[in-house]
Amino acid sequence: MYYKHIVLITSGQPATNPRLVKEADCLTAQGYRVTVLCCYWNKWASLADVAIMQGRKWKIIRVGGSPTESPLTYMTSKLIQKLAFCLSRISSNNKVGVYALSRATFPLVQAAKKTIGDFYLAHNLAALPAAVEASRAQQAVAGFDAEDYHRGETEANPSSLIRQLKVMLEDRYIPQLDYFSTSSTAIADLYKSHYQYQPMVLRNLLPLEPLPFKKELPDGPKTLKLFWFSQTIGPNRGIELIIEALKYLKTPRYELHLLGEPRTGYLKQIVDLAATHGIPPTKLHFHPPVPPGRLFRYCCKFDIGLASEPGHCTNNDAALSNKLFTYIQAGLAVLLSDTKAQKTFYDQYPQIGICYKKDCAVDLGQAIQYYIDNDVELRHTKRANFLLGQHTLNWDRESQHFINKIRQTIN
């Protein structure tokens, strides 16, 4: 019996793309053969990939080299990107510009075209050319999962070469797709305004875990544990506003926990910012990244999840991040900023926590203080969110739409 072969393509690594891992697992469980083409991102992700692949039936092919393994190939890919980027400044030749956005694009295109498959599914913009070019070479179908609104990832500036390259890639390749998905209704609406058809929405939900809910909160004063995570700890994530909000709390019974790979020098900036607001460094706790498969259980020991998107660009305003759904499924109360997408989601599920003004530290501080003062309400919200994740907001339910669309597209 011939099993259809689906090739997932990413310019990063599986450890940096939980959405890809979920889809690879789901496709494998449905009997498809799955290969993931990826590129080196960093040392942490390489170590995490080893853990991720234990017991999984799909395979990884990493192309483009790395600083320690095949460094010549790695440097060549960087050189190709730099040359393409420089040429893009003086020429509007799209064939050159395709390789200017990421060092991963050229090796991914070459590898994908040599990989025989039935369906090529790109998982970020730098991988999109590889999926479409390979589908042409193999007379197969092509897809793109636009987790973000890529041309809107930075502030709108028509003179920005990066933005021009993103628009060029989207305009050149998206009209050629057989399958198109994204992560929120707001992002889907933005893409529809350009290409006249609505991408399928697949929210960043986690697979269902039959994890018993945590024990009840102890009686008496309790230290409230605030939690925020992302792949990177850095600016434009709302962290600065969180730090400022802490100065408005009326009690020292709180801790702020940040998980992710910090940008160079950023942790010192956060500690210094906290000091200016009178917040002692003992209130701040930093955690290194954990593999996607361990993140859910890691979250469970905290009380409140902070979905602090600042809405600094069109994409950020329209996105529903995986952290929002991770908090809910892990049974945390959620404090979420009122970006367009998050406010719409909150209006649909107001029981998940409190939606605060994205540019108002006082408003966020009052929301945190509310849960410090109301242990019973915190307990009820955490339990309700856990049950919401168990029964409604989980990948087991969401993945049915994904599988049905994959089958329809291939057939």
Side-chain angles (χ1 to χ4, degrees):
M1 180 178 179
Y2 175 71
Y3 293 96
K4 296 288 186 179
H5 184 201
I6 298 181
V7 182
L8 304 181
I9 311 172
T10 175
S11 57
Q13 296 179 238
T16 64
N17 197 328
R19 194 170 168 96
L20 177 146
V21 172
K22 290 185 300 184
E23 293 190 2
D25 286 344
C26 183
L27 292 167
T28 303
Q30 294 296 317
Y32 294 103
R33 292 191 298 120
V34 177
T35 298
V36 173
L37 297 180
C38 61
C39 281
Y40 174 86
W41 191 256
N42 58 30
K43 182 178 179 181
W44 164 80
S46 298
L47 296 173
D49 280 348
V50 175
I52 286 173
M53 293 308 297
Q54 291 181 2
R56 284 187 159 90
K57 297 180 180 180
W58 45 275
K59 68 177 182 177
I60 292 177
I61 299 176
R62 198 171 76 183
V63 303
S66 74
T68 55
E69 301 173 12
S70 304
L72 180 59
T73 303
Y74 177 76
M75 294 307 299
T76 300
S77 68
K78 296 190 72 171
L79 179 61
I80 290 172
Q81 181 208 354
K82 287 184 178 180
L83 288 173
F85 191 83
C86 291
L87 290 172
S88 296
R89 291 184 179 276
I90 58 176
S91 172
S92 58
N93 188 330
N94 284 354
K95 290 184 178 180
V96 174
V98 164
Y99 304 113
L101 195 63
S102 167
R103 77 157 192 99
T105 302
F106 182 79
L108 286 173
V109 169
Q110 301 306 305
K113 290 169 71 173
K114 296 176 183 177
T115 304
I116 298 175
D118 300 289
F119 192 158
Y120 298 84
L121 178 53
H123 261 270
N124 34 47
L125 189 57
L128 177 58
V132 175
E133 298 291 346
S135 71
R136 287 178 180 172
Q138 299 295 339
Q139 296 185 340
V141 293
F144 179 38
D145 180 52
E147 188 173 357
D148 295 293
Y149 177 60
H150 293 288
R151 69 178 65 189
E153 289 176 307
T154 57
E155 295 181 6
N157 181 2
S159 64
S160 167
L161 180 57
I162 295 294
R163 181 180 174 84
Q164 291 173 12
L165 290 172
K166 290 181 177 182
V167 171
M168 179 272 292
L169 287 174
E170 291 183 343
D171 287 349
R172 178 173 179 176
Y173 289 111
I174 287 179
Q176 302 182 57
L177 296 173
D178 305 288
Y179 168 98
F180 190 17
S181 61
T182 188
S183 60
S184 78
T185 302
I187 292 178
D189 289 341
L190 288 167
Y191 276 117
K192 184 181 179 181
S193 70
H194 300 298
Y195 305 112
Q196 307 308 312
Y197 67 96
Q198 192 93 0
M200 178 178 65
V201 176
L202 291 172
R203 294 171 294 185
N204 282 309
L205 302 171
L206 294 176
L208 187 62
E209 284 201 41
L211 182 69
F213 189 68
K214 297 162 284 188
K215 294 180 180 180
E216 296 292 341
L217 300 177
D219 295 331
K222 175 185 180 295
T223 298
L224 191 75
K225 294 184 177 181
L226 305 164
F227 183 57
W228 179 99
F229 78 89
S230 186
Q231 290 182 18
T232 304
I233 302 176
N236 291 328
R237 304 296 180 90
I239 298 176
E240 296 86 354
L241 188 78
I242 296 172
I243 297 295
E244 183 181 355
L246 298 180
K247 75 177 182 180
Y248 297 106
L249 302 184
K250 303 173 184 178
T251 172
R253 293 191 292 110
Y254 70 88
E255 296 173 352
L256 174 61
H257 295 258
L258 304 176
L259 182 149
E261 187 74 24
R263 291 277 179 90
T264 303
Y266 188 74
L267 295 190
K268 183 179 184 304
Q269 294 179 34
I270 289 299
V271 173
D272 291 345
L273 177 64
T276 64
H277 293 303
I279 300 163
T282 55
K283 293 296 180 184
L284 308 180
H285 301 265
F286 302 105
H287 306 267
V290 299
R294 289 175 45 204
L295 183 59
F296 176 77
R297 289 178 178 268
Y298 197 91
C299 286
C300 290
K301 59 186 176 183
F302 302 103
D303 300 304
I304 291 179
L306 295 157
S308 56
E309 308 303 335
H312 67 282
C313 61
T314 305
N315 175 63
N316 190 253
D317 194 46
L320 285 176
S321 70
N322 62 331
K323 63 169 64 68
L324 172 61
F325 297 109
T326 302
Y327 298 149
I328 292 171
Q329 290 182 250
L332 277 63
V334 180
L335 300 182
L336 65 164
S337 57
D338 63 345
T339 60
K340 179 180 179 179
Q342 292 195 156
K343 182 61 168 61
T344 300
F345 179 79
Y346 179 76
D347 289 342
Q348 186 178 3
Y349 298 101
Q351 72 273 28
I352 63 172
I354 299 174
C355 188
Y356 66 92
K357 297 177 183 177
K358 60 180 180 289
D359 56 353
C360 184
V362 174
D363 202 34
L364 175 55
Q366 290 174 345
I368 297 171
Q369 188 65 51
Y370 174 81
Y371 282 119
I372 292 176
D373 295 338
N374 295 274
D375 279 353
V376 173
E377 182 64 23
L378 175 62
R379 187 182 300 120
H380 289 168
T381 302
K382 292 168 69 175
R383 180 179 292 278
N385 281 353
F386 178 77
L387 294 175
L388 179 63
Q390 289 287 303
H391 299 301
T392 304
L393 296 177
N394 58 70
W395 175 244
D396 296 60
R397 291 173 63 96
E398 196 85 349
S399 64
Q400 295 304 309
H401 305 296
F402 169 66
I403 286 297
N404 290 339
K405 189 66 174 179
I406 291 292
R407 287 173 179 162
Q408 176 186 346
T409 304
I410 290 181
N411 292 335

